[in-house]
Amino acid sequence: MRRILIVGNWKMNKTATEAAAFVHNVARRLPASPTVEYVLAPPFTAIESVRATLGSSSTIQLGAQNLFWEDRGAYTGEISAPMLKDLGCRYVIIGHSERRTLFGEREDAIQKKLHAAFTHELRPILCIGESLLQREEGKTEEVLRQQLHGALAGHSLHSVTALTIAYEPVWAIGTGKAATTDQAVAAHRTIRAFLAQMWSTDVAEATRILYGGSVTPHNIDTLLRSDQIDGALIGGACLQADAFVTIADIAQSIGARQ
Ligand code: PGA
């Protein structure tokens, strides 16, 4: 069974104080669910205040938006996996398209970050997705396979059990123009086929594949109705408490994948 995973990626939004107020409002409105997991990924500076506000028994889990692959040392400005673990993070987003395009993150860095996450038992959410030009040129499948190969080659079967993949077409992120369910499903099938080929059908069936890019309370239902879409990585809509709660409610009404 694949539990639905709803991940809020706050990007560079909310101070520690604003983040605490948000989760104070939202946490009590999200009942525990056997079929849905919720994760919030605040900026590093707000992780501690979110953790303190949620307390130890919350239904919302903590994630980070990035990490650096070394554990410690002279890497000014970076944050390591042990630091995130110590703050109570369970998940970490890796290879988001904004990191790739704005900060020049390349495959070798993404591979090392995944390795660090696996080593420290953080669950990585690996983001991949094609640009508009790549889609228009009919290269979507090829790009997804290249990105998967670039990030995952060299990782053992044992480690990938904790992996989640987020399909996020670059043209859909923050644009208000989400992929259609058919487009997302086609990409998810490509990803699952790659995982089956690289490891096994069991791994492919067990790995959660999320969709991300302009997900809102209005389109989440249609997306999650497909059993190929195991959840969502959500930016803008997760900054508003009511929208986050509505999305969570809809996810709960749908349930898990068999
Ligand atoms: P969006 O962002 O929901 O605002 O499009 C998604 C993401 O970047 O993960």
Side-chain angles (χ1 to χ4, degrees), residues 97 101 128-140 143-144 147 167-172:
S97 80
T101 55
I128 58 171
E130 81 288 359
S131 67
L132 187 57
L133 182 65
Q134 289 164 332
R135 173 164 284 271
E136 284 171 351
E137 288 177 344
K139 292 187 179 151
T140 300
V143 169
L144 296 181
Q147 290 177 347
Y167 167 59
E168 296 209 307
V170 178
W171 48 270

mmCIF file with all atom_site columns, all heavy atoms in Angstrom, residues 97 101 128-140 143-144 147 167-172:
data_model
loop_
_atom_site.group_PDB
_atom_site.id
_atom_site.type_symbol
_atom_site.label_atom_id
_atom_site.label_alt_id
_atom_site.label_comp_id
_atom_site.label_asym_id
_atom_site.label_entity_id
_atom_site.label_seq_id
_atom_site.pdbx_PDB_ins_code
_atom_site.Cartn_x
_atom_site.Cartn_y
_atom_site.Cartn_z
_atom_site.occupancy
_atom_site.B_iso_or_equiv
_atom_site.pdbx_formal_charge
_atom_site.auth_seq_id
_atom_site.auth_comp_id
_atom_site.auth_asym_id
_atom_site.auth_atom_id
_atom_site.pdbx_PDB_model_num
ATOM 1   N N   . SER A 1 97  ? 13.653 22.091 -8.940  1.00 0.00 ? 97  SER A N   1
ATOM 2   C CA  . SER A 1 97  ? 14.077 22.775 -10.180 1.00 0.00 ? 97  SER A CA  1
ATOM 3   C C   . SER A 1 97  ? 14.627 24.175 -9.890  1.00 0.00 ? 97  SER A C   1
ATOM 4   O O   . SER A 1 97  ? 15.469 24.666 -10.630 1.00 0.00 ? 97  SER A O   1
ATOM 5   C CB  . SER A 1 97  ? 12.936 22.830 -11.183 1.00 0.00 ? 97  SER A CB  1
ATOM 6   O OG  . SER A 1 97  ? 12.071 23.873 -10.864 1.00 0.00 ? 97  SER A OG  1
ATOM 7   N N   . THR A 1 101 ? 18.053 25.341 -11.441 1.00 0.00 ? 101 THR A N   1
ATOM 8   C CA  . THR A 1 101 ? 18.192 26.449 -12.397 1.00 0.00 ? 101 THR A CA  1
ATOM 9   C C   . THR A 1 101 ? 18.786 27.701 -11.760 1.00 0.00 ? 101 THR A C   1
ATOM 10  O O   . THR A 1 101 ? 19.619 28.356 -12.369 1.00 0.00 ? 101 THR A O   1
ATOM 11  C CB  . THR A 1 101 ? 16.836 26.798 -13.046 1.00 0.00 ? 101 THR A CB  1
ATOM 12  O OG1 . THR A 1 101 ? 15.900 27.057 -12.010 1.00 0.00 ? 101 THR A OG1 1
ATOM 13  C CG2 . THR A 1 101 ? 16.309 25.666 -13.899 1.00 0.00 ? 101 THR A CG2 1
ATOM 14  N N   . ILE A 1 128 ? 12.146 15.896 -10.179 1.00 0.00 ? 128 ILE A N   1
ATOM 15  C CA  . ILE A 1 128 ? 12.581 15.880 -11.573 1.00 0.00 ? 128 ILE A CA  1
ATOM 16  C C   . ILE A 1 128 ? 11.463 16.481 -12.419 1.00 0.00 ? 128 ILE A C   1
ATOM 17  O O   . ILE A 1 128 ? 10.312 16.546 -11.976 1.00 0.00 ? 128 ILE A O   1
ATOM 18  C CB  . ILE A 1 128 ? 12.887 14.445 -12.076 1.00 0.00 ? 128 ILE A CB  1
ATOM 19  C CG1 . ILE A 1 128 ? 11.650 13.547 -11.933 1.00 0.00 ? 128 ILE A CG1 1
ATOM 20  C CG2 . ILE A 1 128 ? 14.065 13.841 -11.332 1.00 0.00 ? 128 ILE A CG2 1
ATOM 21  C CD1 . ILE A 1 128 ? 11.828 12.197 -12.615 1.00 0.00 ? 128 ILE A CD1 1
ATOM 22  N N   . GLY A 1 129 ? 11.809 16.916 -13.614 1.00 0.00 ? 129 GLY A N   1
ATOM 23  C CA  . GLY A 1 129 ? 10.766 17.456 -14.494 1.00 0.00 ? 129 GLY A CA  1
ATOM 24  C C   . GLY A 1 129 ? 11.376 18.162 -15.686 1.00 0.00 ? 129 GLY A C   1
ATOM 25  O O   . GLY A 1 129 ? 12.500 18.659 -15.611 1.00 0.00 ? 129 GLY A O   1
ATOM 26  N N   . GLU A 1 130 ? 10.594 18.199 -16.753 1.00 0.00 ? 130 GLU A N   1
ATOM 27  C CA  . GLU A 1 130 ? 11.085 18.778 -18.002 1.00 0.00 ? 130 GLU A CA  1
ATOM 28  C C   . GLU A 1 130 ? 10.711 20.256 -18.111 1.00 0.00 ? 130 GLU A C   1
ATOM 29  O O   . GLU A 1 130 ? 9.739  20.701 -17.518 1.00 0.00 ? 130 GLU A O   1
ATOM 30  C CB  . GLU A 1 130 ? 10.521 17.988 -19.197 1.00 0.00 ? 130 GLU A CB  1
ATOM 31  C CG  . GLU A 1 130 ? 9.093  18.346 -19.608 1.00 0.00 ? 130 GLU A CG  1
ATOM 32  C CD  . GLU A 1 130 ? 8.024  17.867 -18.643 1.00 0.00 ? 130 GLU A CD  1
ATOM 33  O OE1 . GLU A 1 130 ? 8.356  17.221 -17.626 1.00 0.00 ? 130 GLU A OE1 1
ATOM 34  O OE2 . GLU A 1 130 ? 6.826  18.161 -18.884 1.00 0.00 ? 130 GLU A OE2 1
ATOM 35  N N   . SER A 1 131 ? 11.453 20.990 -18.933 1.00 0.00 ? 131 SER A N   1
ATOM 36  C CA  . SER A 1 131 ? 11.107 22.383 -19.220 1.00 0.00 ? 131 SER A CA  1
ATOM 37  C C   . SER A 1 131 ? 10.034 22.405 -20.319 1.00 0.00 ? 131 SER A C   1
ATOM 38  O O   . SER A 1 131 ? 9.763  21.376 -20.951 1.00 0.00 ? 131 SER A O   1
ATOM 39  C CB  . SER A 1 131 ? 12.345 23.150 -19.689 1.00 0.00 ? 131 SER A CB  1
ATOM 40  O OG  . SER A 1 131 ? 12.738 22.637 -20.954 1.00 0.00 ? 131 SER A OG  1
ATOM 41  N N   . LEU A 1 132 ? 9.490  23.580 -20.571 1.00 0.00 ? 132 LEU A N   1
ATOM 42  C CA  . LEU A 1 132 ? 8.473  23.705 -21.620 1.00 0.00 ? 132 LEU A CA  1
ATOM 43  C C   . LEU A 1 132 ? 9.078  23.343 -22.975 1.00 0.00 ? 132 LEU A C   1
ATOM 44  O O   . LEU A 1 132 ? 8.483  22.612 -23.773 1.00 0.00 ? 132 LEU A O   1
ATOM 45  C CB  . LEU A 1 132 ? 7.913  25.130 -21.643 1.00 0.00 ? 132 LEU A CB  1
ATOM 46  C CG  . LEU A 1 132 ? 6.734  25.343 -22.581 1.00 0.00 ? 132 LEU A CG  1
ATOM 47  C CD1 . LEU A 1 132 ? 5.588  24.411 -22.255 1.00 0.00 ? 132 LEU A CD1 1
ATOM 48  C CD2 . LEU A 1 132 ? 6.278  26.797 -22.528 1.00 0.00 ? 132 LEU A CD2 1
ATOM 49  N N   . LEU A 1 133 ? 10.279 23.835 -23.225 1.00 0.00 ? 133 LEU A N   1
ATOM 50  C CA  . LEU A 1 133 ? 10.925 23.565 -24.512 1.00 0.00 ? 133 LEU A CA  1
ATOM 51  C C   . LEU A 1 133 ? 11.138 22.062 -24.702 1.00 0.00 ? 133 LEU A C   1
ATOM 52  O O   . LEU A 1 133 ? 10.858 21.508 -25.775 1.00 0.00 ? 133 LEU A O   1
ATOM 53  C CB  . LEU A 1 133 ? 12.272 24.309 -24.585 1.00 0.00 ? 133 LEU A CB  1
ATOM 54  C CG  . LEU A 1 133 ? 13.027 24.159 -25.905 1.00 0.00 ? 133 LEU A CG  1
ATOM 55  C CD1 . LEU A 1 133 ? 12.234 24.801 -27.041 1.00 0.00 ? 133 LEU A CD1 1
ATOM 56  C CD2 . LEU A 1 133 ? 14.423 24.790 -25.808 1.00 0.00 ? 133 LEU A CD2 1
ATOM 57  N N   . GLN A 1 134 ? 11.608 21.407 -23.646 1.00 0.00 ? 134 GLN A N   1
ATOM 58  C CA  . GLN A 1 134 ? 11.835 19.955 -23.740 1.00 0.00 ? 134 GLN A CA  1
ATOM 59  C C   . GLN A 1 134 ? 10.528 19.230 -24.029 1.00 0.00 ? 134 GLN A C   1
ATOM 60  O O   . GLN A 1 134 ? 10.489 18.287 -24.813 1.00 0.00 ? 134 GLN A O   1
ATOM 61  C CB  . GLN A 1 134 ? 12.487 19.441 -22.453 1.00 0.00 ? 134 GLN A CB  1
ATOM 62  C CG  . GLN A 1 134 ? 13.939 19.895 -22.328 1.00 0.00 ? 134 GLN A CG  1
ATOM 63  C CD  . GLN A 1 134 ? 14.498 19.741 -20.925 1.00 0.00 ? 134 GLN A CD  1
ATOM 64  O OE1 . GLN A 1 134 ? 13.759 19.786 -19.933 1.00 0.00 ? 134 GLN A OE1 1
ATOM 65  N NE2 . GLN A 1 134 ? 15.810 19.566 -20.826 1.00 0.00 ? 134 GLN A NE2 1
ATOM 66  N N   . ARG A 1 135 ? 9.441  19.664 -23.399 1.00 0.00 ? 135 ARG A N   1
ATOM 67  C CA  . ARG A 1 135 ? 8.140  19.017 -23.681 1.00 0.00 ? 135 ARG A CA  1
ATOM 68  C C   . ARG A 1 135 ? 7.736  19.264 -25.123 1.00 0.00 ? 135 ARG A C   1
ATOM 69  O O   . ARG A 1 135 ? 7.332  18.354 -25.837 1.00 0.00 ? 135 ARG A O   1
ATOM 70  C CB  . ARG A 1 135 ? 7.070  19.536 -22.715 1.00 0.00 ? 135 ARG A CB  1
ATOM 71  C CG  . ARG A 1 135 ? 5.670  19.032 -23.053 1.00 0.00 ? 135 ARG A CG  1
ATOM 72  C CD  . ARG A 1 135 ? 4.706  19.213 -21.920 1.00 0.00 ? 135 ARG A CD  1
ATOM 73  N NE  . ARG A 1 135 ? 4.901  18.228 -20.865 1.00 0.00 ? 135 ARG A NE  1
ATOM 74  C CZ  . ARG A 1 135 ? 4.309  17.027 -20.826 1.00 0.00 ? 135 ARG A CZ  1
ATOM 75  N NH1 . ARG A 1 135 ? 3.458  16.670 -21.774 1.00 0.00 ? 135 ARG A NH1 1
ATOM 76  N NH2 . ARG A 1 135 ? 4.536  16.186 -19.836 1.00 0.00 ? 135 ARG A NH2 1
ATOM 77  N N   . GLU A 1 136 ? 7.885  20.520 -25.567 1.00 0.00 ? 136 GLU A N   1
ATOM 78  C CA  . GLU A 1 136 ? 7.461  20.846 -26.934 1.00 0.00 ? 136 GLU A CA  1
ATOM 79  C C   . GLU A 1 136 ? 8.292  20.083 -27.965 1.00 0.00 ? 136 GLU A C   1
ATOM 80  O O   . GLU A 1 136 ? 7.819  19.789 -29.050 1.00 0.00 ? 136 GLU A O   1
ATOM 81  C CB  . GLU A 1 136 ? 7.567  22.358 -27.158 1.00 0.00 ? 136 GLU A CB  1
ATOM 82  C CG  . GLU A 1 136 ? 6.425  23.093 -26.477 1.00 0.00 ? 136 GLU A CG  1
ATOM 83  C CD  . GLU A 1 136 ? 6.579  24.606 -26.478 1.00 0.00 ? 136 GLU A CD  1
ATOM 84  O OE1 . GLU A 1 136 ? 7.663  25.106 -26.864 1.00 0.00 ? 136 GLU A OE1 1
ATOM 85  O OE2 . GLU A 1 136 ? 5.625  25.277 -26.056 1.00 0.00 ? 136 GLU A OE2 1
ATOM 86  N N   . GLU A 1 137 ? 9.517  19.793 -27.613 1.00 0.00 ? 137 GLU A N   1
ATOM 87  C CA  . GLU A 1 137 ? 10.366 19.033 -28.543 1.00 0.00 ? 137 GLU A CA  1
ATOM 88  C C   . GLU A 1 137 ? 10.162 17.517 -28.415 1.00 0.00 ? 137 GLU A C   1
ATOM 89  O O   . GLU A 1 137 ? 10.914 16.732 -29.000 1.00 0.00 ? 137 GLU A O   1
ATOM 90  C CB  . GLU A 1 137 ? 11.845 19.371 -28.286 1.00 0.00 ? 137 GLU A CB  1
ATOM 91  C CG  . GLU A 1 137 ? 12.205 20.779 -28.749 1.00 0.00 ? 137 GLU A CG  1
ATOM 92  C CD  . GLU A 1 137 ? 13.650 21.146 -28.426 1.00 0.00 ? 137 GLU A CD  1
ATOM 93  O OE1 . GLU A 1 137 ? 14.268 20.456 -27.588 1.00 0.00 ? 137 GLU A OE1 1
ATOM 94  O OE2 . GLU A 1 137 ? 14.133 22.131 -29.000 1.00 0.00 ? 137 GLU A OE2 1
ATOM 95  N N   . GLY A 1 138 ? 9.208  17.116 -27.567 1.00 0.00 ? 138 GLY A N   1
ATOM 96  C CA  . GLY A 1 138 ? 8.911  15.689 -27.421 1.00 0.00 ? 138 GLY A CA  1
ATOM 97  C C   . GLY A 1 138 ? 9.960  14.934 -26.622 1.00 0.00 ? 138 GLY A C   1
ATOM 98  O O   . GLY A 1 138 ? 10.122 13.722 -26.788 1.00 0.00 ? 138 GLY A O   1
ATOM 99  N N   . LYS A 1 139 ? 10.683 15.652 -25.762 1.00 0.00 ? 139 LYS A N   1
ATOM 100 C CA  . LYS A 1 139 ? 11.790 15.005 -25.047 1.00 0.00 ? 139 LYS A CA  1
ATOM 101 C C   . LYS A 1 139 ? 11.470 14.683 -23.588 1.00 0.00 ? 139 LYS A C   1
ATOM 102 O O   . LYS A 1 139 ? 12.379 14.375 -22.815 1.00 0.00 ? 139 LYS A O   1
ATOM 103 C CB  . LYS A 1 139 ? 13.012 15.923 -25.078 1.00 0.00 ? 139 LYS A CB  1
ATOM 104 C CG  . LYS A 1 139 ? 13.608 16.079 -26.459 1.00 0.00 ? 139 LYS A CG  1
ATOM 105 C CD  . LYS A 1 139 ? 14.907 16.855 -26.374 1.00 0.00 ? 139 LYS A CD  1
ATOM 106 C CE  . LYS A 1 139 ? 15.538 17.010 -27.740 1.00 0.00 ? 139 LYS A CE  1
ATOM 107 N NZ  . LYS A 1 139 ? 16.325 18.226 -27.848 1.00 0.00 ? 139 LYS A NZ  1
ATOM 108 N N   . THR A 1 140 ? 10.213 14.783 -23.205 1.00 0.00 ? 140 THR A N   1
ATOM 109 C CA  . THR A 1 140 ? 9.875  14.627 -21.786 1.00 0.00 ? 140 THR A CA  1
ATOM 110 C C   . THR A 1 140 ? 10.395 13.308 -21.198 1.00 0.00 ? 140 THR A C   1
ATOM 111 O O   . THR A 1 140 ? 11.091 13.296 -20.183 1.00 0.00 ? 140 THR A O   1
ATOM 112 C CB  . THR A 1 140 ? 8.348  14.744 -21.584 1.00 0.00 ? 140 THR A CB  1
ATOM 113 O OG1 . THR A 1 140 ? 7.965  16.037 -22.048 1.00 0.00 ? 140 THR A OG1 1
ATOM 114 C CG2 . THR A 1 140 ? 7.956  14.602 -20.132 1.00 0.00 ? 140 THR A CG2 1
ATOM 115 N N   . VAL A 1 143 ? 14.176 13.159 -20.898 1.00 0.00 ? 143 VAL A N   1
ATOM 116 C CA  . VAL A 1 143 ? 14.692 14.026 -19.837 1.00 0.00 ? 143 VAL A CA  1
ATOM 117 C C   . VAL A 1 143 ? 14.452 13.391 -18.464 1.00 0.00 ? 143 VAL A C   1
ATOM 118 O O   . VAL A 1 143 ? 15.341 13.376 -17.604 1.00 0.00 ? 143 VAL A O   1
ATOM 119 C CB  . VAL A 1 143 ? 14.019 15.425 -19.907 1.00 0.00 ? 143 VAL A CB  1
ATOM 120 C CG1 . VAL A 1 143 ? 14.314 16.254 -18.673 1.00 0.00 ? 143 VAL A CG1 1
ATOM 121 C CG2 . VAL A 1 143 ? 14.469 16.145 -21.167 1.00 0.00 ? 143 VAL A CG2 1
ATOM 122 N N   . LEU A 1 144 ? 13.259 12.833 -18.269 1.00 0.00 ? 144 LEU A N   1
ATOM 123 C CA  . LEU A 1 144 ? 12.963 12.216 -16.969 1.00 0.00 ? 144 LEU A CA  1
ATOM 124 C C   . LEU A 1 144 ? 13.907 11.054 -16.705 1.00 0.00 ? 144 LEU A C   1
ATOM 125 O O   . LEU A 1 144 ? 14.453 10.908 -15.602 1.00 0.00 ? 144 LEU A O   1
ATOM 126 C CB  . LEU A 1 144 ? 11.507 11.734 -16.916 1.00 0.00 ? 144 LEU A CB  1
ATOM 127 C CG  . LEU A 1 144 ? 10.433 12.825 -17.021 1.00 0.00 ? 144 LEU A CG  1
ATOM 128 C CD1 . LEU A 1 144 ? 9.039  12.212 -16.937 1.00 0.00 ? 144 LEU A CD1 1
ATOM 129 C CD2 . LEU A 1 144 ? 10.606 13.875 -15.923 1.00 0.00 ? 144 LEU A CD2 1
ATOM 130 N N   . GLN A 1 147 ? 17.383 12.374 -15.869 1.00 0.00 ? 147 GLN A N   1
ATOM 131 C CA  . GLN A 1 147 ? 17.464 12.938 -14.518 1.00 0.00 ? 147 GLN A CA  1
ATOM 132 C C   . GLN A 1 147 ? 17.442 11.838 -13.461 1.00 0.00 ? 147 GLN A C   1
ATOM 133 O O   . GLN A 1 147 ? 18.154 11.907 -12.460 1.00 0.00 ? 147 GLN A O   1
ATOM 134 C CB  . GLN A 1 147 ? 16.326 13.937 -14.289 1.00 0.00 ? 147 GLN A CB  1
ATOM 135 C CG  . GLN A 1 147 ? 16.498 15.212 -15.097 1.00 0.00 ? 147 GLN A CG  1
ATOM 136 C CD  . GLN A 1 147 ? 15.331 16.184 -14.921 1.00 0.00 ? 147 GLN A CD  1
ATOM 137 O OE1 . GLN A 1 147 ? 14.283 15.821 -14.382 1.00 0.00 ? 147 GLN A OE1 1
ATOM 138 N NE2 . GLN A 1 147 ? 15.512 17.397 -15.386 1.00 0.00 ? 147 GLN A NE2 1
ATOM 139 N N   . TYR A 1 167 ? 7.382  14.368 -9.505  1.00 0.00 ? 167 TYR A N   1
ATOM 140 C CA  . TYR A 1 167 ? 7.409  14.822 -10.896 1.00 0.00 ? 167 TYR A CA  1
ATOM 141 C C   . TYR A 1 167 ? 6.892  16.260 -10.917 1.00 0.00 ? 167 TYR A C   1
ATOM 142 O O   . TYR A 1 167 ? 5.722  16.512 -10.607 1.00 0.00 ? 167 TYR A O   1
ATOM 143 C CB  . TYR A 1 167 ? 6.540  13.921 -11.776 1.00 0.00 ? 167 TYR A CB  1
ATOM 144 C CG  . TYR A 1 167 ? 6.290  14.542 -13.131 1.00 0.00 ? 167 TYR A CG  1
ATOM 145 C CD1 . TYR A 1 167 ? 7.367  14.868 -13.967 1.00 0.00 ? 167 TYR A CD1 1
ATOM 146 C CD2 . TYR A 1 167 ? 5.009  14.844 -13.579 1.00 0.00 ? 167 TYR A CD2 1
ATOM 147 C CE1 . TYR A 1 167 ? 7.153  15.481 -15.196 1.00 0.00 ? 167 TYR A CE1 1
ATOM 148 C CE2 . TYR A 1 167 ? 4.787  15.440 -14.805 1.00 0.00 ? 167 TYR A CE2 1
ATOM 149 C CZ  . TYR A 1 167 ? 5.871  15.763 -15.604 1.00 0.00 ? 167 TYR A CZ  1
ATOM 150 O OH  . TYR A 1 167 ? 5.671  16.369 -16.812 1.00 0.00 ? 167 TYR A OH  1
ATOM 151 N N   . GLU A 1 168 ? 7.774  17.183 -11.250 1.00 0.00 ? 168 GLU A N   1
ATOM 152 C CA  . GLU A 1 168 ? 7.399  18.598 -11.276 1.00 0.00 ? 168 GLU A CA  1
ATOM 153 C C   . GLU A 1 168 ? 7.828  19.215 -12.604 1.00 0.00 ? 168 GLU A C   1
ATOM 154 O O   . GLU A 1 168 ? 8.974  19.651 -12.748 1.00 0.00 ? 168 GLU A O   1
ATOM 155 C CB  . GLU A 1 168 ? 8.096  19.352 -10.142 1.00 0.00 ? 168 GLU A CB  1
ATOM 156 C CG  . GLU A 1 168 ? 7.683  18.898 -8.761  1.00 0.00 ? 168 GLU A CG  1
ATOM 157 C CD  . GLU A 1 168 ? 7.805  20.036 -7.748  1.00 0.00 ? 168 GLU A CD  1
ATOM 158 O OE1 . GLU A 1 168 ? 8.886  20.646 -7.655  1.00 0.00 ? 168 GLU A OE1 1
ATOM 159 O OE2 . GLU A 1 168 ? 6.815  20.325 -7.097  1.00 0.00 ? 168 GLU A OE2 1
ATOM 160 N N   . PRO A 1 169 ? 6.914  19.253 -13.571 1.00 0.00 ? 169 PRO A N   1
ATOM 161 C CA  . PRO A 1 169 ? 7.272  19.912 -14.828 1.00 0.00 ? 169 PRO A CA  1
ATOM 162 C C   . PRO A 1 169 ? 7.602  21.383 -14.547 1.00 0.00 ? 169 PRO A C   1
ATOM 163 O O   . PRO A 1 169 ? 6.828  22.067 -13.866 1.00 0.00 ? 169 PRO A O   1
ATOM 164 C CB  . PRO A 1 169 ? 6.009  19.771 -15.690 1.00 0.00 ? 169 PRO A CB  1
ATOM 165 C CG  . PRO A 1 169 ? 4.913  19.333 -14.788 1.00 0.00 ? 169 PRO A CG  1
ATOM 166 C CD  . PRO A 1 169 ? 5.512  18.791 -13.540 1.00 0.00 ? 169 PRO A CD  1
ATOM 167 N N   . VAL A 1 170 ? 8.730  21.839 -15.062 1.00 0.00 ? 170 VAL A N   1
ATOM 168 C CA  . VAL A 1 170 ? 9.200  23.185 -14.725 1.00 0.00 ? 170 VAL A CA  1
ATOM 169 C C   . VAL A 1 170 ? 8.164  24.242 -15.139 1.00 0.00 ? 170 VAL A C   1
ATOM 170 O O   . VAL A 1 170 ? 7.943  25.227 -14.431 1.00 0.00 ? 170 VAL A O   1
ATOM 171 C CB  . VAL A 1 170 ? 10.565 23.440 -15.407 1.00 0.00 ? 170 VAL A CB  1
ATOM 172 C CG1 . VAL A 1 170 ? 11.069 24.844 -15.122 1.00 0.00 ? 170 VAL A CG1 1
ATOM 173 C CG2 . VAL A 1 170 ? 11.591 22.411 -14.943 1.00 0.00 ? 170 VAL A CG2 1
ATOM 174 N N   . TRP A 1 171 ? 7.510  23.986 -16.269 1.00 0.00 ? 171 TRP A N   1
ATOM 175 C CA  . TRP A 1 171 ? 6.534  24.955 -16.784 1.00 0.00 ? 171 TRP A CA  1
ATOM 176 C C   . TRP A 1 171 ? 5.268  25.046 -15.926 1.00 0.00 ? 171 TRP A C   1
ATOM 177 O O   . TRP A 1 171 ? 4.462  25.961 -16.098 1.00 0.00 ? 171 TRP A O   1
ATOM 178 C CB  . TRP A 1 171 ? 6.150  24.591 -18.227 1.00 0.00 ? 171 TRP A CB  1
ATOM 179 C CG  . TRP A 1 171 ? 5.799  23.139 -18.428 1.00 0.00 ? 171 TRP A CG  1
ATOM 180 C CD1 . TRP A 1 171 ? 6.654  22.132 -18.754 1.00 0.00 ? 171 TRP A CD1 1
ATOM 181 C CD2 . TRP A 1 171 ? 4.510  22.528 -18.280 1.00 0.00 ? 171 TRP A CD2 1
ATOM 182 N NE1 . TRP A 1 171 ? 5.988  20.935 -18.830 1.00 0.00 ? 171 TRP A NE1 1
ATOM 183 C CE2 . TRP A 1 171 ? 4.669  21.147 -18.550 1.00 0.00 ? 171 TRP A CE2 1
ATOM 184 C CE3 . TRP A 1 171 ? 3.240  23.006 -17.955 1.00 0.00 ? 171 TRP A CE3 1
ATOM 185 C CZ2 . TRP A 1 171 ? 3.615  20.248 -18.489 1.00 0.00 ? 171 TRP A CZ2 1
ATOM 186 C CZ3 . TRP A 1 171 ? 2.184  22.108 -17.898 1.00 0.00 ? 171 TRP A CZ3 1
ATOM 187 C CH2 . TRP A 1 171 ? 2.373  20.754 -18.163 1.00 0.00 ? 171 TRP A CH2 1
ATOM 188 N N   . ALA A 1 172 ? 5.104  24.115 -14.998 1.00 0.00 ? 172 ALA A N   1
ATOM 189 C CA  . ALA A 1 172 ? 3.893  24.126 -14.160 1.00 0.00 ? 172 ALA A CA  1
ATOM 190 C C   . ALA A 1 172 ? 4.152  24.741 -12.784 1.00 0.00 ? 172 ALA A C   1
ATOM 191 O O   . ALA A 1 172 ? 3.220  25.039 -12.045 1.00 0.00 ? 172 ALA A O   1
ATOM 192 C CB  . ALA A 1 172 ? 3.367  22.702 -13.993 1.00 0.00 ? 172 ALA A CB  1
#
